[in-house]
Amino acid sequence: MNSNTFGKLFSITTFGESHGEAVGVVIDGCPAGITIKIEDIQKELDKRRPGSSALSSPRDEKDIAMIYSGVFEGKTTGTPIMIMVKNESQKSGDYDAIKDLFRPGHADYTYYKKYGIRDHRGGGRSSVRESIGRVAALGIARKILDSYGIDIFAHVTQVGNITAETFDRDFIDENPLHTACVEKYDEMSAEILRVKALGDSIGAILEFRAKGVYAGVGEPIFDRLNARLSYALMSIPAVKGVEFGLGFNAVNYLGSQMNDEIKSDGFTTNNSGGMLGGISNGDDIYGRLVVKPVSSILIPKKTIDIEGNDSEIVTMGRHDSCVAARAVVIVEAMIALTLVDLILIDKSKKL
Amino acid sequence: MNSNTFGKLFSITTFGESHGEAVGVVIDGCPAGITIKIEDIQKELDKRRPGSSALSSPRDEKDIAMIYSGVFEGKTTGTPIMIMVKNESQKSGDYDAIKDLFRPGHADYTYYKKYGIRDHRGGGRSSVRESIGRVAALGIARKILDSYGIDIFAHVTQVGNITAETFDRDFIDENPLHTACVEKYDEMSAEILRVKALGDSIGAILEFRAKGVYAGVGEPIFDRLNARLSYALMSIPAVKGVEFGLGFNAVNYLGSQMNDEIKSDGFTTNNSGGMLGGISNGDDIYGRLVVKPVSSILIPKKTIDIEGNDSEIVTMGRHDSCVAARAVVIVEAMIALTLVDLILIDKSKKL
Amino acid sequence: MNSNTFGKLFSITTFGESHGEAVGVVIDGCPAGITIKIEDIQKELDKRRPGSSALSSPRDEKDIAMIYSGVFEGKTTGTPIMIMVKNESQKSGDYDAIKDLFRPGHADYTYYKKYGIRDHRGGGRSSVRESIGRVAALGIARKILDSYGIDIFAHVTQVGNITAETFDRDFIDENPLHTACVEKYDEMSAEILRVKALGDSIGAILEFRAKGVYAGVGEPIFDRLNARLSYALMSIPAVKGVEFGLGFNAVNYLGSQMNDEIKSDGFTTNNSGGMLGGISNGDDIYGRLVVKPVSSILIPKKTIDIEGNDSEIVTMGRHDSCVAARAVVIVEAMIALTLVDLILIDKSKKL
Amino acid sequence: MNSNTFGKLFSITTFGESHGEAVGVVIDGCPAGITIKIEDIQKELDKRRPGSSALSSPRDEKDIAMIYSGVFEGKTTGTPIMIMVKNESQKSGDYDAIKDLFRPGHADYTYYKKYGIRDHRGGGRSSVRESIGRVAALGIARKILDSYGIDIFAHVTQVGNITAETFDRDFIDENPLHTACVEKYDEMSAEILRVKALGDSIGAILEFRAKGVYAGVGEPIFDRLNARLSYALMSIPAVKGVEFGLGFNAVNYLGSQMNDEIKSDGFTTNNSGGMLGGISNGDDIYGRLVVKPVSSILIPKKTIDIEGNDSEIVTMGRHDSCVAARAVVIVEAMIALTLVDLILIDKSKKL
């Protein structure tokens, strides 16, 4: 029940700080007999790696994963699977100049207030490097979802005020921004580079979708599928809002327009986002989330030091200007982990 | 860890269906020695009661609460507090005509798919009557928050396309819609009555706010304050989206605009919604959520019966046209329960 | 995860004090579609009821159970099942004379130290009346175990220094002491009555057994079947020791004698108590536990009052002299609840 | 809530198999600001290491621990602490000859039945090497207990039929068997060596004690201190029985003898083992447990192979003949982890 553990039956416990020895994950509750190769895991990690395009941070982190337990002769054994990535590109010297200052927008201030400790090295535990453990677990969760015929993906639908207008599934994996809109890709990329040149950062909206989820996943009253997904997605740094189906736009609909009618061959619309009463209805699960602009910027801002004195800060270092591209696989990880957990829970309630 | 239980240290377990014997709650983990009168609980329940104005359902449910355990000589004893409301206004006959039909927008279809059982009486467990248990617990949670100087409230900021423009805290409790906007109250009310006359329903947006939360509440990585609040709020029927601080609007901000600067006398802005890295920063916690239009409408819609045959349905019965007014206290309950739980967790991590 | 909840997937939350309004239970995670009649529950409760023979307390508690939720048209619906017994025979006046004194052997002193509250009425929450909720849940758990062909029972094997020598399964239900030994029943009963006449009390040993548990139940590393059963059984008031298979007697065996050999038609012995590495091996699960003599006695003992002053106490009231007979069904309840929970967990880990 | 995690607020998640890459632990919920040196952890690990005397297995496992996360500049940060020991002495070839045979007394058979996987390398996850993670966590738990003035220790009181008669606290750490009885140490050691020479193994009884626990630790109803301790201790491989205070011997006492009287200067006796109603009473917490003889012996025994064919087995390899000496620190670990967790829970319930 501790807060570095996610999931009840298929659970992950992540550990590690951005500039510590390593970051990793212990996956517990994974069924035995699943075929796993290290490539299944590395493939997902490579998607969140910075340094892969001009759009992302220039840090060149290799992030090579290794499995330390729980897999024997290529199969899961039902015991805890520990996967770890050693931290190599640790330029914590970058942070010495600001070691007593709280970076605005970051968790520095609140961690200090909560724990009384200032780990100034790149955000410590609050760094997005923590997500390596989650993404490593995605490699295994996808294997389980595959066996249920469930397909999960996310893509960028808005950067600043530039909005995707078309959807090409294949294109998502073909561009470093992971948008599904061929037409707007150039414009979105240019906007990120423009903001980056200013030393500034920009926010984005992502859509996520799960296809093939059978009707019946999600546990009323509190572990509703939408509640559990919101919990999962809001745990990703920078996410400030989550919505399902029509989402906030539902305020503009009457009940007679909103309700998805049911016919013998299925629902006629999917305004609900594939859930009724918190349980999947067999239609696509979908929704959107917003990521705020990255907090690390090269523009001076007012702040205080750990003594409470007024000061000013510029966040040097090698940062993304838009976290959207790298967030895609983290979003997929959190959705996959949630679904596997709720599917196992659903199984457990049937004699 | 079961899904009718919410909270880890201060937890509630709700039970009961809309047309069963009773609905109620067991509150566990409540500190001993808190003074509780039944009026503290009844006062909250009265806020969610239908039948109190023309804006809400004409069902006249008294919803009289009684404490069955955990309180001795007017004080909590540290043992489980059971509070129950007997179901009296049970016109389940209203539902006989549609007993084999799935109501569009409702959980009928998904509960049947999940459990293989059709409890046709007013939604059974998926009814908003379940929230009685949560609201009863609010009466106790508020006592604990009071001792920390924390004040929680929610109010309606949008009905259909009518948006609140001003904020008068006192007005929230003086109007049955619980909006804080004196100027727009008449227009909002009229819109609800107009839609009601059509036999239709309408959605709304609510803002929520917690004042006085000390810096340090929220547990990284997964029990972030925003993640736990999202989980809590998304478990309320009809909620389709949740956002904090600037929320989805953050996509229109650059980092240099978004980041809340820090001065020796506090944060200069509150774009983050009072949280950094999932931990409260001492500023107001605030955000918004959307409730979809009520699914029960008097307009015929296509559906199927439990055999899968095409059919049509009109949801007779006595329903709200807009759930916003009654949702206010449920929103307050979920925020209060989340905060008390996270405060107790935070306490436990300090030697 | 709160401490009035037992079980992870099939869980019970009990509430109520000995002299409050009611005692009861919320059962969560029960699969849907199980046929339940109130008689299934009442039958178990009647076994733990005092007043049924000269061997037990003369209190005549009817303990009539009622189902308040979770069952519709005679079947479980998959939603929380609340079952409650109202407290009727509340002679709390019996306790007024000792309202400021701590009864030796009872939890009065420690509850006061922990909670700062003195609920002097018959032990309050620490009363064995709390077990009513557990035993009510047994009525449902047995239905699930029946579907797996699992049979659970307990019986009294020792009272003071009188030890059962033979085993007659049918006899267990035919005598109020619930021993399986026809030959020693009279002697055991006489010993209890002799001690009762002295105003004193006496301890006992019970054996428990589960037949038909398939190989594979129990979750390493910490939710071993033996660990979970110990946790369950030690939560019964008065239990001071638990052992499985040879138990403490294993100290007198060499490994070559202890190890159960395996043949193609099964294990040749069952020294382990039906478990290896914390997982059931298909053989009978069995063990023993000891219940201390009842703490309420008519013999004066030294104690202190809530101010810390030295005093003396005699525990008047209507008490058992030996709790063993009534403990039998509570032991069965805790074993049944543990097994159902672990079986559901085991199911959830198989794709 | 998964079964490789122990504890609710101060929790450990262990991972690793006897012949995998590594064994280790993630400690979550540890308060920030605790001074930790790697020596604090290594010191405890050295106590469970085999190869340190003629009484234990000749395997020379160095078991060098390293901290990978959660400690910064010598202090805990409030984030997960990962500690790992790489497996070096992996002679899994020892096990090739018996790779398809189930070793009697071991978990081979039940793991295979449960998971469908045969990890024949020295017990895999069921190996006592798993306890390395628990013992590493003891190094940190002791720091927390020190701050409460709590002292925990265990010692061997019986080997076969040789029973300790005297108690010398200092002697416990001065002999490789960790008995407190100077007089019987030679006899106990000789008995272990005698049995070892036969290729056989022998069981033992340990006493454990916690001094300085304040009154009020333990959570009714189910997380009673005795219930949680039993759960903890029964999760140690080879433990077949646990008892507190008088334990099974309570059957020989009348209530008038058993009840610990209370005087203004404390309890006059401690028959209860320092607990009433599952809550500590301020007196010493104590009890005993039995460990069965080690299952790996050099004497041929009947078994079957994974196809179900009758066969015979001798467990070669380098094994202990009596696990008692090495169990001492594991017992201390489980008691310490339980107490820290329950103390943090108790803190959380006070406003």
Side-chain angles (χ1 to χ4, degrees):
Chain A
M1 83 129 238
N2 256 312
S3 141
N4 295 286
T5 296
F6 177 89
K8 294 180 173 181
L9 288 178
F10 184 87
S11 69
I12 64 164
T13 300
T14 72
F15 60 87
E17 302 85 44
S18 66
H19 290 68
E21 288 293 324
V23 290
V25 66
V26 180
I27 302 159
D28 199 2
C30 183
I34 298 173
T35 303
I36 286 290
K37 290 195 293 285
I38 188 68
E39 293 77 22
D40 298 321
I41 289 151
Q42 195 62 51
K43 182 177 63 182
E44 305 294 347
L45 285 176
D46 290 348
K47 293 182 197 164
R48 74 160 291 292
R49 203 159 55 86
S52 50
S53 94
L55 295 180
S56 68
S57 157
R59 290 195 310 277
D60 185 17
E61 299 170 354
K62 290 277 181 301
D63 293 344
I64 304 300
M66 180 169 156
I67 301 174
Y68 287 78
S69 70
V71 177
F72 179 55
E73 298 181 341
K75 284 186 195 295
T76 59
T77 60
T79 66
I81 302 165
M82 200 283 262
I83 305 170
M84 193 168 81
V85 167
K86 292 199 177 152
N87 288 331
E88 294 185 350
S89 176
Q90 300 172 29
K91 297 206 184 174
S92 61
D94 286 358
Y95 296 94
D96 285 350
I98 56 170
K99 93 192 262 297
D100 291 333
L101 297 178
F102 300 120
R103 295 168 301 161
H106 279 285
D108 303 353
Y109 177 81
T110 53
Y111 269 67
Y112 183 72
K113 285 287 178 182
K114 186 175 185 75
Y115 298 112
I117 295 274
R118 177 86 179 97
D119 180 353
H120 62 277
R121 306 161 305 163
R125 180 71 179 150
S126 71
S127 162
V128 76
R129 271 192 80 71
E130 178 275 335
S131 68
I132 283 178
R134 316 187 192 191
V135 173
L138 172 60
I140 293 174
R142 270 211 223 270
K143 290 272 179 159
I144 298 174
L145 293 178
D146 284 351
S147 75
Y148 282 90
I150 296 172
D151 177 30
I152 285 172
F153 62 90
H155 54 106
V156 178
T157 59
Q158 189 173 340
V159 172
N161 61 2
I162 304 160
T163 306
E165 287 166 358
T166 57
F167 178 82
D168 178 338
R169 171 76 197 269
D170 293 337
F171 186 60
I172 298 173
D173 293 329
E174 293 165 4
N175 71 91
L177 184 55
H178 300 305
T179 179
C181 180
V182 179
E183 291 77 6
K184 291 286 183 172
Y185 166 65
D186 287 341
E187 203 176 334
M188 287 175 174
S189 300
E191 177 66 0
I192 292 173
L193 295 175
R194 182 186 74 81
V195 167
K196 186 179 186 177
L198 299 173
D200 214 332
S201 63
I202 193 164
I205 292 177
L206 283 76
E207 193 198 66
F208 49 85
R209 191 168 289 263
K211 301 179 86 75
V213 180
Y214 65 85
V217 178
E219 297 293 309
I221 294 298
F222 297 110
D223 278 352
R224 279 170 150 82
L225 180 47
N226 47 331
R228 281 290 303 268
L229 285 172
S230 298
Y231 171 75
L233 295 169
M234 276 284 184
S235 77
I236 302 173
V239 174
K240 300 302 288 180
V242 174
E243 60 180 11
F244 297 97
L246 292 184
F248 277 91
N249 196 18
V251 76
N252 298 311
Y253 282 64
L254 297 182
S256 56
Q257 300 162 320
M258 175 85 195
N259 288 350
D260 299 310
E261 292 184 293
I262 320 175
K263 296 182 68 172
S264 50
D265 56 357
F267 290 90
T268 59
T269 51
N270 188 2
N271 293 330
S272 75
M275 294 172 277
L276 290 167
I279 303 172
S280 63
N281 67 7
D283 236 333
D284 283 11
I285 311 292
Y286 76 96
R288 280 159 305 283
L289 58 83
V290 62
V291 286
K292 69 173 183 179
V294 171
S295 298
S296 296
I297 55 175
L298 299 178
I299 296 166
K301 300 292 280 184
K302 291 194 174 58
T303 192
I304 56 173
D305 62 21
I306 61 174
E307 308 292 335
N309 303 309
D310 283 300
S311 184
E312 202 177 65
I313 192 167
V314 172
T315 318
M316 305 304 285
R318 301 153 298 161
H319 304 290
D320 292 304
S321 293
C322 182
V323 80
R326 293 174 61 198
V328 163
V329 71
I330 308 175
V331 167
E332 291 172 352
M334 296 317 295
I335 295 171
L337 293 169
T338 303
L339 283 173
V340 170
D341 193 37
L342 288 171
I343 286 170
L344 294 186
I345 293 175
D346 183 54
K347 278 176 62 74
S348 75
K349 301 299 172 51
K350 273 141 192 171
L351 284 186
Chain B
M1 82 130 240
N2 256 312
S3 140
N4 294 286
T5 295
F6 176 88
K8 294 181 173 180
L9 288 178
F10 184 87
S11 69
I12 65 165
T13 300
T14 73
F15 60 86
E17 302 86 42
S18 66
H19 289 70
E21 288 293 324
V23 290
V25 66
V26 181
I27 301 160
D28 199 1
C30 183
I34 298 172
T35 304
I36 286 291
K37 290 196 293 285
I38 188 68
E39 293 76 23
D40 298 321
I41 289 149
Q42 195 63 50
K43 182 178 63 183
E44 305 293 348
L45 286 175
D46 289 348
K47 294 182 197 165
R48 73 160 292 293
R49 203 159 55 85
S52 50
S53 94
L55 295 179
S56 69
S57 156
R59 293 194 307 277
D60 185 16
E61 300 169 355
K62 289 278 181 305
D63 294 343
I64 304 299
M66 181 169 156
I67 300 173
Y68 286 77
S69 69
V71 177
F72 178 56
E73 298 180 340
K75 284 187 194 295
T76 59
T77 61
T79 66
I81 302 164
M82 200 282 262
I83 305 170
M84 193 168 82
V85 166
K86 292 199 177 152
N87 289 330
E88 294 185 348
S89 176
Q90 301 173 27
K91 296 208 182 174
S92 62
D94 287 356
Y95 295 94
D96 285 351
I98 57 169
K99 96 192 259 300
D100 293 331
L101 296 178
F102 300 120
R103 295 168 301 162
H106 279 286
D108 302 354
Y109 177 80
T110 52
Y111 269 66
Y112 184 70
K113 284 287 177 181
K114 184 175 186 74
Y115 298 113
I117 295 274
R118 176 87 177 98
D119 180 353
H120 62 277
R121 308 161 305 162
R125 180 71 179 150
S126 71
S127 162
V128 75
R129 271 191 81 71
E130 178 275 335
S131 68
I132 284 177
R134 315 188 194 191
V135 173
L138 172 60
I140 293 172
R142 268 209 225 271
K143 290 270 179 161
I144 297 173
L145 293 178
D146 284 351
S147 74
Y148 282 89
I150 296 172
D151 177 32
I152 285 171
F153 62 90
H155 54 105
V156 177
T157 58
Q158 189 173 341
V159 173
N161 61 3
I162 304 159
T163 306
E165 287 164 357
T166 56
F167 177 83
D168 177 340
R169 171 74 198 268
D170 292 337
F171 187 59
I172 297 174
D173 292 329
E174 292 165 4
N175 72 90
L177 184 55
H178 301 304
T179 179
C181 180
V182 180
E183 292 77 6
K184 291 288 183 171
Y185 166 64
D186 285 342
E187 203 175 335
M188 287 175 174
S189 300
E191 178 65 1
I192 292 173
L193 294 174
R194 182 186 73 81
V195 167
K196 187 180 184 176
L198 299 172
D200 214 332
S201 62
I202 193 163
I205 291 177
L206 282 76
E207 193 199 66
F208 49 85
R209 190 170 290 262
K211 300 179 87 72
V213 179
Y214 66 85
V217 178
E219 298 293 309
I221 295 298
F222 296 111
D223 278 352
R224 277 170 152 83
L225 180 47
N226 48 330
R228 281 290 302 270
L229 285 172
S230 298
Y231 171 74
L233 295 169
M234 276 284 183
S235 76
I236 303 173
V239 175
K240 301 302 287 181
V242 173
E243 61 179 11
F244 298 97
L246 292 184
F248 278 92
N249 196 19
V251 76
N252 298 311
Y253 282 64
L254 296 183
S256 56
Q257 301 162 320
M258 176 85 195
N259 289 350
D260 299 310
E261 291 184 293
I262 320 176
K263 296 182 68 174
S264 50
D265 56 356
F267 290 90
T268 58
T269 52
N270 188 1
N271 292 330
S272 74
M275 294 171 277
L276 291 167
I279 303 173
S280 63
N281 66 7
D283 235 333
D284 283 10
I285 311 291
Y286 76 95
R288 282 158 304 281
L289 58 81
V290 62
V291 286
K292 69 174 184 179
V294 171
S295 299
S296 296
I297 54 175
L298 299 177
I299 296 166
K301 299 293 281 184
K302 290 194 175 58
T303 192
I304 57 174
D305 63 20
I306 60 174
E307 307 291 337
N309 302 308
D310 284 301
S311 184
E312 201 175 67
I313 191 166
V314 172
T315 317
M316 306 302 286
R318 302 153 298 161
H319 305 290
D320 293 304
S321 293
C322 182
V323 81
R326 293 175 62 199
V328 164
V329 71
I330 308 175
V331 167
E332 291 171 352
M334 296 317 294
I335 294 171
L337 293 169
T338 302
L339 282 174
V340 170
D341 193 36
L342 288 172
I343 287 170
L344 295 186
I345 293 174
D346 182 54
K347 278 175 62 73
S348 76
K349 300 298 172 53
K350 274 143 190 168
L351 284 185
Chain C
M1 84 130 241
N2 256 312
S3 143
N4 294 286
T5 295
F6 177 89
K8 294 181 173 181
L9 288 178
F10 185 87
S11 69
I12 64 164
T13 301
T14 73
F15 60 86
E17 301 86 43
S18 66
H19 289 70
E21 287 293 324
V23 290
V25 66
V26 180
I27 302 160
D28 200 2
C30 183
I34 298 172
T35 303
I36 286 290
K37 289 196 293 283
I38 188 68
E39 293 77 22
D40 299 321
I41 290 150
Q42 195 62 51
K43 182 178 61 184
E44 305 293 349
L45 285 176
D46 289 349
K47 294 181 197 165
R48 74 161 291 293
R49 203 158 55 85
S52 50
S53 94
L55 295 179
S56 68
S57 157
R59 291 195 307 279
D60 185 17
E61 300 169 355
K62 290 276 180 305
D63 293 342
I64 304 299
M66 180 168 156
I67 301 174
Y68 286 79
S69 69
V71 177
F72 179 54
E73 298 180 341
K75 283 185 195 296
T76 59
T77 61
T79 66
I81 302 166
M82 200 282 262
I83 305 171
M84 193 168 81
V85 167
K86 293 201 177 149
N87 288 331
E88 295 185 349
S89 177
Q90 301 173 26
K91 295 206 183 175
S92 61
D94 286 357
Y95 297 94
D96 286 350
I98 56 169
K99 92 190 264 297
D100 292 331
L101 296 177
F102 300 120
R103 296 168 299 162
H106 279 285
D108 302 354
Y109 177 80
T110 52
Y111 269 67
Y112 184 70
K113 284 287 178 183
K114 185 176 185 75
Y115 298 113
I117 295 274
R118 176 87 178 96
D119 180 353
H120 62 278
R121 307 162 304 163
R125 179 71 180 151
S126 71
S127 162
V128 76
R129 270 193 81 70
E130 179 275 335
S131 69
I132 284 178
R134 315 187 193 190
V135 173
L138 172 61
I140 293 174
R142 269 212 223 270
K143 289 273 179 158
I144 297 173
L145 293 178
D146 283 351
S147 74
Y148 283 89
I150 296 171
D151 177 31
I152 285 171
F153 62 91
H155 54 107
V156 178
T157 58
Q158 188 173 342
V159 172
N161 62 1
I162 305 159
T163 306
E165 287 165 357
T166 58
F167 177 82
D168 176 339
R169 170 75 197 267
D170 292 337
F171 186 60
I172 297 173
D173 293 329
E174 292 165 5
N175 72 91
L177 183 56
H178 301 304
T179 179
C181 179
V182 179
E183 291 78 4
K184 292 286 185 173
Y185 166 66
D186 285 342
E187 203 175 333
M188 287 175 175
S189 300
E191 177 66 0
I192 292 173
L193 295 174
R194 182 185 73 82
V195 167
K196 187 180 184 175
L198 300 173
D200 214 332
S201 62
I202 194 164
I205 291 177
L206 282 76
E207 192 199 67
F208 49 85
R209 191 170 289 264
K211 301 179 87 73
V213 179
Y214 66 85
V217 178
E219 298 292 310
I221 294 298
F222 297 109
D223 278 352
R224 278 169 151 82
L225 180 46
N226 47 332
R228 281 290 302 269
L229 285 172
S230 297
Y231 171 74
L233 296 169
M234 276 283 183
S235 77
I236 302 173
V239 175
K240 300 302 287 179
V242 174
E243 60 179 11
F244 298 97
L246 292 184
F248 277 91
N249 196 18
V251 76
N252 298 311
Y253 282 65
L254 296 182
S256 56
Q257 301 162 320
M258 175 85 195
N259 288 349
D260 299 310
E261 291 184 295
I262 320 175
K263 296 182 69 174
S264 51
D265 57 357
F267 291 89
T268 58
T269 52
N270 189 3
N271 293 330
S272 74
M275 294 171 278
L276 291 167
I279 304 173
S280 63
N281 66 7
D283 234 334
D284 283 10
I285 312 291
Y286 76 95
R288 280 158 307 282
L289 58 83
V290 62
V291 287
K292 69 174 183 178
V294 171
S295 299
S296 296
I297 54 175
L298 299 177
I299 296 166
K301 300 293 280 185
K302 292 195 174 58
T303 191
I304 56 173
D305 63 22
I306 61 175
E307 308 291 335
N309 302 308
D310 284 299
S311 183
E312 202 176 66
I313 191 167
V314 172
T315 316
M316 306 302 287
R318 303 153 298 161
H319 305 289
D320 292 305
S321 293
C322 182
V323 81
R326 293 175 61 199
V328 163
V329 71
I330 308 175
V331 167
E332 291 171 352
M334 296 318 294
I335 293 171
L337 293 169
T338 302
L339 282 173
V340 170
D341 192 36
L342 288 171
I343 286 171
L344 295 186
I345 292 174
D346 182 54
K347 279 176 61 73
S348 76
K349 301 298 172 52
K350 273 141 191 170
L351 285 186
Chain D
M1 83 128 240
N2 256 312
S3 144
N4 295 287
T5 296
F6 176 88
K8 294 181 173 182
L9 289 179
F10 184 87
S11 68
I12 65 164
T13 300
T14 72
F15 60 87
E17 301 87 43
S18 66
H19 290 69
E21 288 292 325
V23 291
V25 65
V26 181
I27 302 160
D28 200 1
C30 183
I34 298 172
T35 303
I36 285 290
K37 291 196 291 285
I38 189 67
E39 293 76 24
D40 298 322
I41 290 150
Q42 194 63 49
K43 182 179 62 183
E44 304 294 347
L45 285 176
D46 289 348
K47 294 182 197 164
R48 73 161 291 293
R49 203 158 55 85
S52 49
S53 94
L55 295 179
S56 67
S57 157
R59 290 196 308 278
D60 184 17
E61 300 170 355
K62 289 277 181 306
D63 293 343
I64 304 300
M66 180 168 156
I67 300 175
Y68 286 78
S69 69
V71 177
F72 179 55
E73 298 180 340
K75 284 187 194 295
T76 59
T77 61
T79 65
I81 302 165
M82 199 283 261
I83 305 170
M84 193 167 82
V85 166
K86 292 200 178 154
N87 288 330
E88 294 184 352
S89 177
Q90 301 174 28
K91 296 208 182 173
S92 63
D94 285 357
Y95 297 94
D96 285 350
I98 57 170
K99 95 191 261 299
D100 292 332
L101 296 178
F102 300 119
R103 295 168 301 161
H106 279 285
D108 302 354
Y109 177 81
T110 53
Y111 269 66
Y112 184 70
K113 284 288 178 182
K114 185 174 185 75
Y115 297 113
I117 296 274
R118 176 86 177 99
D119 180 353
H120 61 278
R121 306 163 304 163
R125 180 71 179 151
S126 71
S127 161
V128 77
R129 269 192 82 70
E130 178 276 334
S131 68
I132 284 178
R134 315 187 194 191
V135 173
L138 172 60
I140 293 174
R142 269 211 224 268
K143 291 270 179 160
I144 298 173
L145 294 178
D146 283 351
S147 73
Y148 282 89
I150 297 171
D151 177 31
I152 285 171
F153 62 91
H155 53 107
V156 177
T157 58
Q158 189 173 341
V159 172
N161 61 2
I162 305 159
T163 304
E165 287 164 359
T166 57
F167 177 82
D168 176 340
R169 171 73 198 270
D170 293 336
F171 186 59
I172 297 174
D173 293 329
E174 293 165 3
N175 72 90
L177 183 56
H178 300 305
T179 179
C181 180
V182 179
E183 291 77 7
K184 292 287 184 172
Y185 166 65
D186 286 341
E187 202 176 332
M188 287 175 174
S189 299
E191 177 66 1
I192 292 174
L193 294 174
R194 184 187 71 81
V195 167
K196 187 179 184 176
L198 299 173
D200 214 334
S201 62
I202 193 163
I205 292 177
L206 283 77
E207 193 198 65
F208 48 87
R209 190 170 290 263
K211 301 179 87 72
V213 180
Y214 66 86
V217 177
E219 298 293 308
I221 294 300
F222 297 111
D223 278 351
R224 277 169 151 84
L225 180 47
N226 49 330
R228 281 290 302 271
L229 285 172
S230 298
Y231 170 75
L233 295 169
M234 276 284 184
S235 75
I236 302 173
V239 175
K240 301 302 287 180
V242 174
E243 61 180 10
F244 298 97
L246 292 184
F248 278 91
N249 195 20
V251 76
N252 298 312
Y253 282 64
L254 297 183
S256 56
Q257 302 163 317
M258 174 86 195
N259 289 349
D260 299 311
E261 291 185 294
I262 320 176
K263 296 182 70 174
S264 50
D265 56 356
F267 290 90
T268 58
T269 51
N270 189 2
N271 293 330
S272 74
M275 294 171 277
L276 290 167
I279 304 173
S280 62
N281 67 5
D283 235 332
D284 283 10
I285 311 292
Y286 75 96
R288 282 158 305 281
L289 58 82
V290 62
V291 287
K292 69 174 185 180
V294 171
S295 298
S296 296
I297 53 174
L298 298 178
I299 296 166
K301 298 293 280 183
K302 290 194 174 60
T303 192
I304 57 173
D305 63 21
I306 61 175
E307 307 291 336
N309 302 308
D310 283 301
S311 184
E312 202 176 65
I313 191 166
V314 172
T315 315
M316 306 303 285
R318 302 154 298 161
H319 305 290
D320 292 305
S321 294
C322 182
V323 81
R326 293 175 61 199
V328 164
V329 71
I330 309 175
V331 167
E332 291 171 352
M334 296 316 293
I335 293 171
L337 293 169
T338 302
L339 282 173
V340 171
D341 193 36
L342 288 171
I343 286 170
L344 295 186
I345 293 175
D346 182 54
K347 277 175 62 73
S348 75
K349 300 299 172 53
K350 272 141 190 170
L351 283 186

